[in-house]
Amino acid sequence: MRALPLHAMLQTYANCCGKFLCSGCNFQHQVKHQRQAAKKGQTPLPLTCAFCRTTLPDSDEEILARVHKRIELKDPKALRNMAMYYGQGDLGVSVDQAKCI
């Protein structure tokens, strides 16, 4: 894999393993995954993480559960993401500035 780009918009955070991925590398993994399924004549398989190969979450509840699990493991990136969810009201979380800080 290549070095991560400096611009934050070109990076992707994986909730499952707590890794930052280059968005281009992540996209390449997803395309390759779909092409392999198409060559075999199968229905597309669920998308997976480029690092740990776990399936990507389908719902907001799954994403929040994974973020909480990463927070329990003392992952500062997950804690920052959860603060951003509270600050912006993402993933069905109510906006709460006290929890955001």
Side-chain angles (χ1 to χ4, degrees), residues 31-85:
V31 168
K32 182 179 176 183
H33 185 73
Q34 295 299 328
R35 284 185 184 161
Q36 287 176 347
K39 281 183 181 178
K40 296 177 183 176
Q42 300 172 345
T43 58
L45 301 171
L47 298 177
T48 59
C49 173
F51 268 98
C52 64
R53 304 293 194 247
T54 58
T55 58
L56 297 180
D58 292 330
S59 65
D60 292 346
E61 291 82 21
E62 285 183 63
I63 295 172
L64 288 174
R66 288 184 183 188
V67 170
H68 283 292
K69 185 176 178 182
R70 296 296 313 165
I71 290 172
E72 289 173 6
L73 295 172
K74 309 271 191 253
D75 183 359
K77 299 167 193 165
L79 188 59
R80 179 202 170 275
N81 283 349
M82 195 66 203
M84 295 301 289
Y85 297 152

